[in-house]
Amino acid sequence: MPGKMMALMSVFTLELCLASGNRLAEILPYKAVYSAKYNGLPITAVKTLTQTSNSHFLEELRASGLIINLREASNFRVSDNGQLTPLDYQIDRSFMGITRSESQNFDWEEKNAHYQRGEKSSNTPIEIGVLDIPTQYMQLRRDLAVGAEKFEYSVISRGQHQTYRYEFVRHEMLATPIGNLETIMMRRLRQNDTRVTNLWLAEDWHYLLVKLEQIENKKDYSMLLQEAEIGNKKVSTVNRSN
């Protein structure tokens, strides 16, 4: 699978938000099913969150389509003060019969992130506060929960330091197979204007991803929530989660 497609699939790695400061929202186990299209090709993805200990969590994505199969798993922990700390990330994917794997492991004692792709590897210095792609999405939702106005995150992706920035676009009632959901639309800011990424997040359901649209080099990718369950409560238009 091309690197750009992998980055797109990483968008599935979305988490329920945590509130910061003196108000820490609970991270609830969930299961979300999405339908997606990549240049017209259908994809189905199932995303789950499991709590593996008091402070450790595992996110897992299994996605499949006509020419795509992917398994993505990431482990992270949450400190008592709400700090998100990525631990490791693994992705195994098959695209048109070509299978590849990548991993990124965070050694917090040595303050080093080790990235491996095939025979290629790299090491990057890290410090507390740096995130990976899954946890930066998580932090975005935490910031939305407390009404933040600035959304900027230091991220280690594929062994390299990057800065992810987002802007608020609008509130929108979005039609889905579940029903009409109140969402907040966010857009990722990029220096390259030819790449556009828009996210719609459910305001009443811990800012769970509802819809994604991305356009890049005349290629398009989209996804839409089909059904979900959060903390043993089914996502619906009848009751809110909070």
Side-chain angles (χ1 to χ4, degrees):
M1 181 185 301
K4 293 178 181 177
M5 182 60 188
M6 186 197 120
L8 288 170
M9 294 304 294
S10 294
V11 175
F12 282 108
T13 314
L14 297 177
E15 184 48 74
L16 306 181
C17 67
L18 290 169
S20 61
N22 296 323
R23 208 160 45 88
L24 293 177
E26 182 182 10
I27 297 181
L28 300 175
Y30 73 91
K31 178 180 180 180
V33 180
Y34 297 89
S35 64
K37 288 186 178 181
Y38 177 64
N39 286 339
L41 297 176
I43 302 169
T44 298
V46 179
K47 186 74 181 67
T48 59
L49 172 69
T50 304
Q51 185 169 359
T52 56
S53 73
N54 288 337
S55 60
H56 288 68
F57 295 84
L58 167 67
E59 286 185 311
E60 187 175 30
L61 164 70
R62 292 184 181 271
S64 61
L66 183 63
I67 59 175
I68 297 170
N69 283 284
L70 178 145
R71 177 185 179 273
E72 184 181 58
S74 60
N75 288 280
F76 66 92
R77 68 171 179 258
V78 183
S79 66
D80 290 340
N81 66 0
Q83 176 66 54
L84 306 179
T85 305
L87 300 175
D88 59 69
Y89 172 87
Q90 174 76 33
I91 182 167
D92 304 299
R93 61 200 185 278
S94 175
F95 183 72
M96 298 184 67
I98 301 175
T99 301
R100 293 178 180 175
S101 297
E102 294 183 43
S103 64
Q104 187 165 263
N105 295 284
F106 291 80
D107 186 336
W108 290 103
E109 290 186 0
E110 298 294 330
K111 291 183 171 52
N112 178 71
H114 179 74
Y115 172 72
Q116 183 82 38
R117 180 180 179 180
E119 297 181 355
K120 297 181 180 180
S121 64
S122 63
N123 291 287
T124 305
I126 57 176
E127 58 185 20
I128 294 299
V130 73
L131 305 170
D132 61 4
I133 288 179
T135 49
Q136 65 90 22
Y137 282 116
M138 208 182 307
Q139 187 63 50
L140 171 63
R141 282 147 191 82
R142 165 160 47 176
D143 291 341
L144 287 170
V146 297
E149 296 182 354
K150 183 178 181 180
F151 309 95
E152 182 174 308
Y153 312 105
S154 177
V155 175
I156 301 293
S157 176
R158 290 186 164 183
Q160 296 183 351
H161 282 276
Q162 299 184 31
T163 300
Y164 277 56
R165 299 180 178 89
Y166 298 87
E167 67 175 355
F168 166 80
V169 180
R170 63 176 177 268
H171 296 278
E172 183 174 339
M173 180 70 77
L174 195 65
T176 76
I178 296 172
N180 293 333
L181 296 176
E182 292 279 0
T183 68
I184 184 169
M185 181 182 176
M186 302 293 293
R187 176 170 295 144
R188 183 179 167 191
L189 299 175
R190 304 174 185 267
Q191 293 182 344
N192 186 346
D193 293 336
T194 64
R195 302 177 65 185
V196 178
T197 302
N198 294 322
L199 307 171
W200 285 259
L201 310 165
E203 295 188 65
D204 296 330
W205 295 95
H206 301 274
Y207 295 93
L208 183 68
L209 178 72
V210 176
K211 181 180 177 181
L212 164 75
E213 288 183 349
Q214 178 155 320
I215 301 172
E216 180 177 357
N217 297 328
K218 298 183 179 180
K219 296 181 180 181
D220 63 273
Y221 178 83
S222 64
M223 57 180 287
L224 183 66
L225 183 67
Q226 300 295 301
E227 60 179 290
E229 186 176 278
I230 300 174
N232 296 319
K233 190 172 184 180
K234 188 173 183 179
V235 174
S236 70
T237 59
V238 178
N239 297 309
R240 299 181 179 183
S241 66
N242 46 19

